[in-house]
Amino acid sequence: MKPGLLVAGELPAWDLEALAARFEVHLYYAAEDKAAMLGRHRDTIRAIATKGEVGADAALMDALPKVEIIACYGVGYDLIDVAAAKARGIRVTNTPDVLTEEVADMAFALLLAAARRIPAADAWVRDGSWAAKGPMPLTTRVWGRRIGIVGLGRIGRAIARRAEAFRMPIAYSARERKADAPYDWHPTPAAMAPHVDVLMVSAAGGAATRGLVDRAAIDALPPHAILCNVARGTVVEEPALLAALRERRIAAAGLDVFLDEPAIDPEFATFDHVVLAPHAASGTVETRRDMGRLMRENLEAQMDGRPLPTPVA
Ligand code: 8YV
């Protein structure tokens, strides 16, 4: 008999098909009566597949006492209660590295789109403004501007590599100076903000970074600054960001993540100086296939009693 797998968040069909070869798959996200599903398969579900935006809490773990592993489809596992998992002897894995370059690409896509007003440019051509009114209003430069990266982890470093190619002076904020990073260090985003033209948020989510980019940081940005976030909505103090955008105290923003997803604060959509994306930074076919493969490798390794490829706990 195949072990049971609870799929907590929606996955592509190619992953579900591959998982079905090894597991009895239970689509929790699609179940109308979730409690009934948990009750029915309480003794056979040995693994949970979840996603960054879905996570897994202690109550779910308690409902499935045979679970040995929670595999996250994503690098960020801030919504998985890792302490609760550890206390129950449940392993936790994520999908690092395979999405790093993709997220860094999106960070720059949002930055370029916000600075060069790509959505407005596209509209200018489509709606006939070009022919009717002439050239669109001038935009602002990205290359050579000073970038400050909040969180110099894997993704932050991939963003920094791109920034080097754009000949941008690079700074980063982190609790500790990183001996191997040849960039200017600041202990907090607020300390870094006055010295940058672009504030790029790429820190891990979770309790430790909640509101890290706080009102002080946002208020310390120069008025021509562009803020981009490809991390988690929780990392930025959203009311302060909204106020800065509303009062035009910063020039623009490029945002892939928000405090409330997918029902984001509707005010974001009223700004013409903001470019929005639906938490899609890792969302290419190529990277999602790699993420799915790595998640499956973790699940299968646990079932086979082999070492886990990418454990976090
Ligand atoms: C999502 C992410 O998990 O990796 C992360 O931390 O935020 C994303 O890759 C992705 O949307 C999959 O659900």
Side-chain angles (χ1 to χ4, degrees):
M1 205 177 106
K2 290 186 223 169
L5 170 74
L6 190 84
V7 181
E10 196 168 348
L11 291 174
W14 61 67
D15 284 318
L16 294 177
E17 276 163 30
L19 287 166
R22 280 295 306 262
F23 295 91
E24 200 62 50
V25 173
H26 304 287
L27 302 183
Y28 188 59
Y29 61 88
E32 271 180 25
D33 190 342
K34 291 189 167 32
M37 176 177 277
L38 296 179
R40 238 186 348 265
H41 305 292
R42 178 184 162 86
D43 295 326
T44 54
I45 290 180
R46 289 173 56 197
I48 297 173
T50 189
K51 299 163 73 164
E53 355 13 2
V54 175
D57 61 14
L60 185 64
M61 298 175 208
D62 285 338
L64 297 171
K66 300 281 164 52
V67 162
E68 301 164 27
I69 179 169
I70 299 171
C72 185
Y73 177 78
V75 67
Y77 51 91
D78 41 298
L79 293 183
I80 298 178
D81 189 337
V82 174
K86 272 189 179 161
R88 290 159 180 75
I90 300 172
R91 306 297 308 277
V92 179
T93 62
N94 66 344
T95 59
D97 301 320
V98 292
L99 49 69
T100 299
E101 303 297 335
E102 215 71 84
V103 177
D105 272 3
M106 187 64 144
F108 259 78
L110 287 170
L111 172 56
L112 287 163
R116 303 301 302 270
R117 299 216 162 205
I118 300 297
D122 182 87
W124 196 263
V125 178
R126 280 173 202 268
D127 71 8
S129 294
W130 191 16
K133 303 183 206 164
M136 71 178 270
L138 300 181
T139 62
T140 194
R141 167 184 292 178
V142 169
W143 76 268
R145 308 304 288 275
R146 301 166 303 169
I147 188 170
I149 302 172
V150 177
L152 200 70
R154 297 179 186 87
I155 293 169
R157 284 173 193 262
I159 291 168
R161 287 195 295 277
R162 283 158 179 74
E164 283 175 16
F166 278 72
R167 293 156 58 191
M168 303 172 83
I170 301 168
Y172 68 100
S173 71
R175 263 176 309 214
E176 309 269 330
R177 187 190 293 274
K178 305 202 187 261
D180 62 344
Y183 312 128
D184 288 342
W185 171 72
H186 300 273
T188 62
M192 179 166 70
H195 309 289
V196 301
D197 308 305
V198 175
L199 192 74
M200 184 64 84
V201 186
S202 63
T209 58
R210 183 170 283 276
L212 177 65
V213 179
D214 55 10
R215 188 171 295 272
I218 291 166
D219 290 352
L221 286 168
H224 60 267
I226 299 174
L227 185 150
C228 293
N229 189 1
V230 290
R232 286 287 182 267
T234 53
V235 181
V236 174
E237 203 180 313
E238 199 166 271
L241 174 60
L242 282 166
L245 289 167
R246 190 184 308 127
E247 293 155 23
R248 306 261 160 178
R249 285 188 280 106
I250 61 173
L255 305 170
D256 187 48
V257 290
F258 306 85
L259 219 41
D260 299 309
E261 298 177 11
I264 70 165
D265 189 311
E267 192 179 4
F268 281 115
T270 68
F271 298 133
D272 64 358
H273 55 334
V274 173
V275 177
L276 305 171
H279 198 146
S282 70
T284 63
V285 171
E286 297 90 335
T287 285
R288 288 290 166 84
R289 282 197 185 272
D290 288 345
M291 289 163 61
R293 191 176 307 117
L294 184 51
M295 182 189 67
R296 287 199 307 279
E297 283 168 4
N298 278 289
L299 289 166
E300 290 170 11
Q302 177 66 25
M303 294 302 116
D304 296 344
R306 289 182 281 112
L308 303 178
T310 49
V312 295

